[in-house]
Amino acid sequence: AGDWTNNGGTFTPGSGTVTLNGSGAQAIGGSSATSFSSLTVSNTAATVSASINFDVGGTLTVSATALLSPAAAVVINSAGAAGTITGSGTIQVTRTTATADYSSQYKFTTNTLASLTVEYAGAAAQTVSALTYGGLKLNNASGATLAGNATVNGTLTFTSGNITTGASSVIISSTGSVSRTSGHVVGNLQKNVATGTNVARTYEIGDATNYTPLDVSFASVSTAGNLTAVTTAGDHTDIANSGINSAKSVNRFWTLTNSGIVFTSYSSTFTFVAGDLDFAANTGAFVVAEKSTGTWTLPTVG
Protein backbone atom coordinates (compact mmCIF):
# COMPACT_ATOMS: atom_id res chain seq x y z
CA ALA A 1 0.00 0.00 0.00
CA GLY A 2 3.06 2.28 0.10
CA ASP A 3 6.12 2.78 -2.11
CA TRP A 4 8.30 0.13 -3.75
CA THR A 5 11.93 1.21 -3.20
CA ASN A 6 15.05 -0.61 -4.35
CA ASN A 7 18.31 1.02 -3.25
CA GLY A 8 20.69 -1.66 -4.46
CA GLY A 9 19.28 -4.91 -3.14
CA THR A 10 18.44 -7.96 -5.22
CA PHE A 11 14.78 -8.89 -5.48
CA THR A 12 14.08 -12.44 -6.67
CA PRO A 13 10.52 -12.40 -8.05
CA GLY A 14 9.89 -16.14 -8.32
CA SER A 15 6.45 -16.62 -9.86
CA GLY A 16 4.50 -14.30 -7.56
CA THR A 17 2.68 -11.03 -8.21
CA VAL A 18 3.47 -7.68 -6.59
CA THR A 19 0.30 -5.59 -6.17
CA LEU A 20 0.29 -1.84 -5.58
CA ASN A 21 -3.10 -1.16 -4.01
CA GLY A 22 -2.73 1.96 -1.85
CA SER A 23 -5.24 4.76 -1.40
CA GLY A 24 -2.71 7.56 -1.91
CA ALA A 25 0.08 8.31 -4.38
CA GLN A 26 2.60 5.48 -4.72
CA ALA A 27 6.01 5.26 -6.33
CA ILE A 28 8.34 2.62 -7.74
CA GLY A 29 11.72 4.15 -7.01
CA GLY A 30 15.15 3.94 -5.47
CA SER A 31 18.55 3.66 -7.09
CA SER A 32 18.30 0.24 -8.78
CA ALA A 33 16.07 -1.34 -11.38
CA THR A 34 13.70 -4.13 -10.36
CA SER A 35 12.44 -7.19 -12.20
CA PHE A 36 8.94 -8.40 -11.35
CA SER A 37 7.40 -11.72 -12.27
CA SER A 38 4.00 -10.06 -12.54
CA LEU A 39 2.88 -6.60 -11.41
CA THR A 40 -0.64 -5.39 -10.70
CA VAL A 41 -1.54 -1.73 -10.22
CA SER A 42 -4.93 -1.55 -8.50
CA ASN A 43 -4.66 1.84 -6.81
CA THR A 44 -7.73 3.69 -8.12
CA ALA A 45 -7.38 6.70 -5.82
CA ALA A 46 -4.05 8.16 -6.95
CA THR A 47 -1.27 7.84 -9.53
CA VAL A 48 1.40 5.15 -9.27
CA SER A 49 4.61 6.71 -10.60
CA ALA A 50 7.98 5.15 -11.41
CA SER A 51 11.38 6.83 -11.41
CA ILE A 52 13.48 3.70 -12.02
CA ASN A 53 13.55 1.14 -14.80
CA PHE A 54 11.55 -1.99 -14.16
CA ASP A 55 10.91 -5.20 -16.03
CA VAL A 56 7.83 -7.42 -15.96
CA GLY A 57 8.47 -10.98 -17.07
CA GLY A 58 4.86 -12.16 -16.89
CA THR A 59 1.77 -9.93 -16.80
CA LEU A 60 1.51 -6.21 -16.13
CA THR A 61 -2.08 -5.50 -15.05
CA VAL A 62 -3.51 -2.01 -14.60
CA SER A 63 -6.95 -2.19 -13.05
CA ALA A 64 -9.93 -0.13 -14.18
CA THR A 65 -9.52 3.63 -13.45
CA ALA A 66 -5.97 3.06 -12.14
CA LEU A 67 -3.10 5.12 -13.60
CA LEU A 68 0.50 3.95 -13.97
CA SER A 69 2.78 6.85 -14.93
CA PRO A 70 6.45 5.87 -15.31
CA ALA A 71 9.18 8.33 -16.20
CA ALA A 72 11.68 5.51 -16.68
CA ALA A 73 11.76 2.43 -18.88
CA VAL A 74 9.08 -0.22 -18.57
CA VAL A 75 10.10 -3.41 -20.33
CA ILE A 76 7.58 -6.19 -20.82
CA ASN A 77 9.34 -9.52 -21.25
CA SER A 78 12.89 -8.47 -21.92
CA ALA A 79 13.66 -12.17 -22.26
CA GLY A 80 11.27 -12.39 -25.21
CA ALA A 81 8.75 -14.71 -23.58
CA ALA A 82 5.01 -14.37 -24.16
CA GLY A 83 4.09 -11.85 -21.49
CA THR A 84 1.06 -9.60 -21.58
CA ILE A 85 -0.20 -6.17 -20.61
CA THR A 86 -3.78 -6.28 -19.46
CA GLY A 87 -6.49 -4.50 -17.48
CA SER A 88 -8.73 -1.54 -18.29
CA GLY A 89 -6.89 1.32 -16.59
CA THR A 90 -4.37 3.73 -18.14
CA ILE A 91 -0.63 3.55 -18.69
CA GLN A 92 0.81 7.02 -19.21
CA VAL A 93 3.86 7.20 -21.46
CA THR A 94 5.70 10.45 -20.69
CA ARG A 95 8.63 11.99 -22.49
CA THR A 96 9.79 15.35 -21.20
CA THR A 97 13.02 16.10 -23.06
CA ALA A 98 13.96 15.94 -26.71
CA THR A 99 17.19 14.12 -25.84
CA ALA A 100 15.46 11.27 -24.01
CA ASP A 101 15.89 7.84 -25.56
CA TYR A 102 12.24 7.12 -26.19
CA SER A 103 12.95 3.80 -27.88
CA SER A 104 13.90 2.25 -24.55
CA GLN A 105 11.17 3.84 -22.47
CA TYR A 106 8.37 1.45 -23.32
CA LYS A 107 8.57 -1.95 -24.92
CA PHE A 108 5.09 -2.56 -26.29
CA THR A 109 6.10 -5.29 -28.71
CA THR A 110 3.93 -8.38 -29.09
CA ASN A 111 1.13 -7.38 -26.77
CA THR A 112 -2.46 -6.63 -27.67
CA LEU A 113 -3.73 -4.07 -25.19
CA ALA A 114 -7.24 -5.50 -25.25
CA SER A 115 -9.07 -3.02 -23.02
CA LEU A 116 -6.17 -1.01 -21.60
CA THR A 117 -5.76 2.69 -22.38
CA VAL A 118 -2.31 4.04 -23.17
CA GLU A 119 -1.83 7.80 -22.81
CA TYR A 120 1.09 9.43 -24.59
CA ALA A 121 1.95 12.60 -22.66
CA GLY A 122 4.92 14.90 -22.21
CA ALA A 123 6.68 17.83 -23.84
CA ALA A 124 8.76 16.20 -26.58
CA ALA A 125 7.67 14.23 -29.64
CA GLN A 126 6.86 10.55 -29.14
CA THR A 127 6.32 7.38 -31.15
CA VAL A 128 3.07 5.43 -30.87
CA SER A 129 3.67 1.70 -30.94
CA ALA A 130 2.04 -0.33 -33.72
CA LEU A 131 -0.47 -2.26 -31.62
CA THR A 132 -4.16 -2.75 -30.93
CA TYR A 133 -5.23 -0.50 -28.06
CA GLY A 134 -8.27 -0.62 -25.82
CA GLY A 135 -8.04 3.18 -25.72
CA LEU A 136 -5.42 5.64 -26.93
CA LYS A 137 -4.86 9.18 -25.64
CA LEU A 138 -2.56 11.89 -26.97
CA ASN A 139 -1.78 14.69 -24.53
CA ASN A 140 1.45 16.10 -25.95
CA ALA A 141 1.58 19.39 -27.85
CA SER A 142 4.74 18.15 -29.59
CA GLY A 143 2.73 15.31 -31.11
CA ALA A 144 3.51 11.73 -31.98
CA THR A 145 4.29 9.59 -35.02
CA LEU A 146 3.18 6.04 -35.74
CA ALA A 147 5.64 3.17 -35.72
CA GLY A 148 3.10 1.24 -37.84
CA ASN A 149 -0.66 0.78 -37.99
CA ALA A 150 -2.34 1.51 -34.64
CA THR A 151 -5.83 0.09 -34.06
CA VAL A 152 -8.14 1.53 -31.40
CA ASN A 153 -11.01 -0.61 -30.13
CA GLY A 154 -12.20 1.97 -27.59
CA THR A 155 -11.81 5.75 -27.63
CA LEU A 156 -9.05 7.68 -29.38
CA THR A 157 -8.78 10.89 -27.32
CA PHE A 158 -7.08 14.02 -28.63
CA THR A 159 -6.33 16.35 -25.72
CA SER A 160 -3.36 18.06 -27.34
CA GLY A 161 -1.08 17.37 -30.31
CA ASN A 162 -1.28 15.58 -33.65
CA ILE A 163 -0.64 11.97 -34.64
CA THR A 164 1.37 11.82 -37.86
CA THR A 165 0.90 8.53 -39.67
CA GLY A 166 3.33 8.54 -42.57
CA ALA A 167 2.51 5.50 -44.71
CA SER A 168 0.73 3.84 -41.77
CA SER A 169 -2.84 4.39 -40.52
CA VAL A 170 -4.77 5.13 -37.37
CA ILE A 171 -7.53 2.51 -37.48
CA ILE A 172 -10.79 2.97 -35.57
CA SER A 173 -12.45 -0.43 -35.34
CA SER A 174 -16.17 -1.18 -35.33
CA THR A 175 -16.24 -0.63 -31.56
CA GLY A 176 -14.03 2.47 -31.56
CA SER A 177 -14.70 6.21 -31.48
CA VAL A 178 -12.87 9.55 -31.40
CA SER A 179 -13.08 12.30 -28.77
CA ARG A 180 -11.32 15.56 -29.64
CA THR A 181 -10.43 18.72 -27.73
CA SER A 182 -7.34 19.72 -29.72
CA GLY A 183 -5.20 17.86 -32.24
CA HIS A 184 -5.96 15.52 -35.13
CA VAL A 185 -4.57 12.89 -37.46
CA VAL A 186 -2.03 14.09 -40.00
CA GLY A 187 -2.23 11.31 -42.57
CA ASN A 188 -4.43 8.25 -42.89
CA LEU A 189 -7.46 7.81 -40.64
CA GLN A 190 -9.51 4.65 -41.21
CA LYS A 191 -12.97 4.16 -39.73
CA ASN A 192 -15.35 1.25 -39.87
CA VAL A 193 -18.69 1.91 -41.56
CA ALA A 194 -21.53 -0.31 -40.31
CA THR A 195 -24.68 -1.32 -42.13
CA GLY A 196 -27.81 0.79 -41.77
CA THR A 197 -29.37 4.04 -42.96
CA ASN A 198 -27.97 7.52 -42.50
CA VAL A 199 -24.61 6.19 -41.32
CA ALA A 200 -22.35 9.18 -40.59
CA ARG A 201 -18.63 9.36 -39.93
CA THR A 202 -16.43 12.35 -39.08
CA TYR A 203 -12.75 12.20 -39.98
CA GLU A 204 -10.63 14.22 -37.56
CA ILE A 205 -7.86 14.97 -40.05
CA GLY A 206 -5.71 17.89 -41.13
CA ASP A 207 -2.16 18.82 -42.02
CA ALA A 208 0.68 19.71 -39.68
CA THR A 209 -0.79 23.18 -39.06
CA ASN A 210 -4.51 23.13 -39.81
CA TYR A 211 -7.51 21.06 -38.74
CA THR A 212 -9.55 20.37 -41.88
CA PRO A 213 -11.96 17.53 -41.09
CA LEU A 214 -14.28 15.62 -43.39
CA ASP A 215 -17.84 14.47 -42.74
CA VAL A 216 -19.36 11.62 -44.73
CA SER A 217 -22.97 10.43 -44.47
CA PHE A 218 -24.16 7.28 -46.25
CA ALA A 219 -27.85 7.11 -47.14
CA SER A 220 -27.93 3.32 -46.86
CA VAL A 221 -25.15 0.78 -46.29
CA SER A 222 -25.87 -2.87 -47.11
CA THR A 223 -22.35 -4.24 -46.56
CA ALA A 224 -20.05 -2.97 -43.84
CA GLY A 225 -16.45 -2.06 -44.55
CA ASN A 226 -13.82 0.57 -43.92
CA LEU A 227 -13.27 4.06 -45.28
CA THR A 228 -9.87 5.77 -45.07
CA ALA A 229 -9.49 9.53 -45.46
CA VAL A 230 -6.52 11.86 -45.69
CA THR A 231 -6.23 15.54 -46.60
CA THR A 232 -3.36 17.17 -48.50
CA ALA A 233 -2.52 20.87 -48.57
CA GLY A 234 -2.06 22.43 -52.01
CA ASP A 235 -3.88 22.09 -55.33
CA HIS A 236 -4.44 18.61 -56.73
CA THR A 237 -1.72 17.63 -59.20
CA ASP A 238 -4.37 17.18 -61.92
CA ILE A 239 -6.48 20.24 -61.11
CA ALA A 240 -6.03 21.49 -64.69
CA ASN A 241 -8.41 18.76 -65.90
CA SER A 242 -10.90 19.06 -63.05
CA GLY A 243 -13.07 21.91 -64.28
CA ILE A 244 -11.98 24.06 -61.34
CA ASN A 245 -10.14 27.34 -61.85
CA SER A 246 -6.85 26.80 -60.01
CA ALA A 247 -6.52 30.55 -59.42
CA LYS A 248 -9.85 30.72 -57.57
CA SER A 249 -9.85 27.55 -55.53
CA VAL A 250 -9.28 25.97 -52.14
CA ASN A 251 -5.66 24.86 -52.16
CA ARG A 252 -6.42 21.51 -50.57
CA PHE A 253 -7.83 18.11 -51.53
CA TRP A 254 -9.11 15.03 -49.71
CA THR A 255 -8.51 11.40 -50.66
CA LEU A 256 -11.07 8.73 -49.71
CA THR A 257 -10.41 5.00 -50.07
CA ASN A 258 -13.28 2.52 -49.78
CA SER A 259 -12.53 -1.00 -48.55
CA GLY A 260 -15.60 -3.20 -48.93
CA ILE A 261 -18.45 -0.76 -48.21
CA VAL A 262 -21.55 -1.34 -50.37
CA PHE A 263 -23.89 1.66 -50.25
CA THR A 264 -26.53 3.53 -52.22
CA SER A 265 -25.29 7.13 -52.06
CA TYR A 266 -23.41 9.48 -49.79
CA SER A 267 -22.98 13.15 -49.05
CA SER A 268 -19.80 14.76 -47.77
CA THR A 269 -18.76 18.03 -46.18
CA PHE A 270 -15.22 19.35 -46.54
CA THR A 271 -13.78 21.83 -44.04
CA PHE A 272 -11.01 24.20 -45.09
CA VAL A 273 -9.36 27.23 -43.47
CA ALA A 274 -9.01 30.80 -44.69
CA GLY A 275 -5.35 30.26 -45.48
CA ASP A 276 -6.31 27.62 -48.05
CA LEU A 277 -8.17 30.13 -50.24
CA ASP A 278 -6.79 31.82 -53.32
CA PHE A 279 -7.13 35.62 -53.15
CA ALA A 280 -9.67 35.75 -55.99
CA ALA A 281 -11.81 32.85 -54.73
CA ASN A 282 -15.55 33.41 -54.26
CA THR A 283 -16.88 30.74 -51.91
CA GLY A 284 -20.43 31.36 -53.11
CA ALA A 285 -19.45 30.10 -56.55
CA PHE A 286 -17.64 26.97 -55.43
CA VAL A 287 -18.08 23.53 -56.94
CA VAL A 288 -16.50 20.23 -55.90
CA ALA A 289 -14.65 18.05 -58.37
CA GLU A 290 -14.17 14.32 -57.79
CA LYS A 291 -11.57 12.17 -59.53
CA SER A 292 -12.34 8.45 -59.47
CA THR A 293 -10.59 5.80 -61.58
CA GLY A 294 -8.98 8.59 -63.60
CA THR A 295 -12.18 10.46 -64.46
CA TRP A 296 -13.29 13.85 -63.12
CA THR A 297 -16.94 14.58 -62.28
CA LEU A 298 -18.68 17.56 -60.67
CA PRO A 299 -21.07 16.32 -57.96
CA THR A 300 -24.06 18.39 -56.83
CA VAL A 301 -23.19 21.05 -54.29
CA GLY A 302 -25.66 21.72 -51.47
Side-chain angles (χ1 to χ4, degrees):
D3 294 335
W4 177 278
T5 305
N6 185 348
N7 282 323
T10 299
F11 171 65
T12 304
S15 58
T17 298
V18 172
T19 300
L20 301 178
N21 60 356
S23 57
Q26 292 179 269
I28 300 173
S31 60
S32 299
T34 295
S35 292
F36 298 99
S37 174
S38 290
L39 178 67
T40 296
V41 177
S42 59
N43 182 339
T44 60
T47 299
V48 175
S49 61
S51 59
I52 59 169
N53 298 348
F54 69 87
D55 177 282
V56 180
T59 300
L60 170 62
T61 303
V62 183
S63 301
T65 73
L67 172 62
L68 172 62
S69 181
V74 176
V75 181
I76 309 300
N77 274 316
S78 60
T84 57
I85 306 174
T86 187
S88 54
T90 298
I91 293 181
Q92 188 178 67
V93 184
T94 304
R95 181 178 175 186
T96 57
T97 62
T99 57
D101 180 9
Y102 175 79
S103 63
S104 65
Q105 184 175 355
Y106 257 80
K107 296 294 185 183
F108 295 146
T109 52
T110 60
N111 303 289
T112 296
L113 308 171
S115 57
L116 192 72
T117 294
V118 176
E119 179 180 7
Y120 288 84
Q126 295 175 287
T127 301
V128 174
S129 298
L131 292 169
T132 297
Y133 296 86
L136 179 62
K137 294 182 179 182
L138 181 63
N139 187 13
N140 185 340
S142 296
T145 57
L146 292 186
N149 292 341
T151 299
V152 183
N153 287 334
T155 302
L156 169 61
T157 302
F158 284 102
T159 300
S160 177
N162 301 331
I163 296 177
T164 302
T165 69
S168 302
S169 298
V170 174
I171 300 170
I172 307 299
S173 75
S174 59
T175 59
S177 62
V178 178
S179 174
R180 177 185 178 273
T181 300
S182 177
H184 54 266
V185 173
V186 180
N188 303 304
L189 176 58
Q190 175 183 303
K191 291 192 175 184
N192 182 264
V193 177
T195 59
T197 57
N198 299 319
V199 181
R201 294 290 181 268
T202 296
Y203 287 80
E204 295 82 1
I205 55 177
D207 57 33
T209 305
N210 301 304
Y211 179 52
T212 54
L214 163 71
D215 294 302
V216 181
S217 179
F218 294 91
S220 179
V221 177
S222 57
T223 302
N226 297 302
L227 182 68
T228 301
V230 60
T231 182
T232 306
D235 283 333
H236 192 281
T237 55
D238 192 36
I239 193 173
N241 296 309
S242 69
I244 288 178
N245 185 339
S246 62
K248 300 180 178 182
S249 68
V250 172
N251 300 316
R252 177 176 300 280
F253 61 95
W254 293 258
T255 304
L256 287 74
T257 305
N258 178 11
S259 300
I261 308 168
V262 178
F263 61 94
T264 54
S265 62
Y266 72 92
S267 62
S268 52
T269 302
F270 304 91
T271 302
F272 54 88
V273 296
D276 292 332
L277 289 171
D278 287 325
F279 178 77
N282 173 13
T283 58
F286 275 179
V287 297
V288 172
E290 177 186 12
K291 186 176 185 180
S292 178
T293 62
T295 301
W296 285 100
T297 58
L298 299 174
T300 302
V301 175

